[in-house]
Amino acid sequence: MSSLFNKEIDGKIFNFQQLEFNNETGYHIDVKDDEGKRWEFRMFPGDDKQGVIHGENLPEWILSLESDIQTAINQFE
């Protein structure tokens, strides 16, 4: 199975690439905003095994979709 997939969330296409870091599976994710700017971040499981977004200066609209992004990952896995 490929470790790459994309999913439309809230009208935007999110691109996911599975990665391993310190024996944990996480995802590198990127998405373009309405102006065409590409935002990149990572998501790794937190203490409760739910994904936590890691990135710098991310807009609120990405952070507000954290649970939807986790749902997309769960559907892929």
Side-chain angles (χ1 to χ4, degrees):
M1 180 189 304
S2 174
S3 63
L4 300 172
F5 71 100
N6 57 40
K7 179 79 173 180
E8 183 174 342
I9 301 172
D10 201 35
K12 295 177 179 49
I13 300 296
F14 284 74
N15 303 298
F16 296 79
Q17 180 177 9
Q18 193 175 40
L19 51 90
E20 295 287 327
F21 185 75
N22 290 337
N23 295 324
E24 262 191 334
T25 299
Y27 289 85
H28 175 269
I29 304 165
D30 68 81
V31 61
K32 286 186 180 178
D33 64 17
D34 293 334
E35 289 78 42
K37 179 176 180 176
R38 184 170 301 281
W39 295 94
E40 297 183 40
F41 56 96
R42 289 184 166 82
M43 192 167 208
F44 288 97
D47 293 337
D48 61 359
K49 299 299 179 193
Q50 287 297 314
V52 177
I53 291 176
H54 299 276
E56 295 182 18
N57 302 316
L58 295 173
E60 180 58 36
W61 65 267
I62 290 177
L63 299 174
S64 70
L65 294 173
E66 187 172 68
S67 65
D68 295 318
I69 295 168
Q70 180 63 55
T71 298
I73 290 169
N74 291 347
Q75 290 173 346
F76 172 73
E77 293 179 337

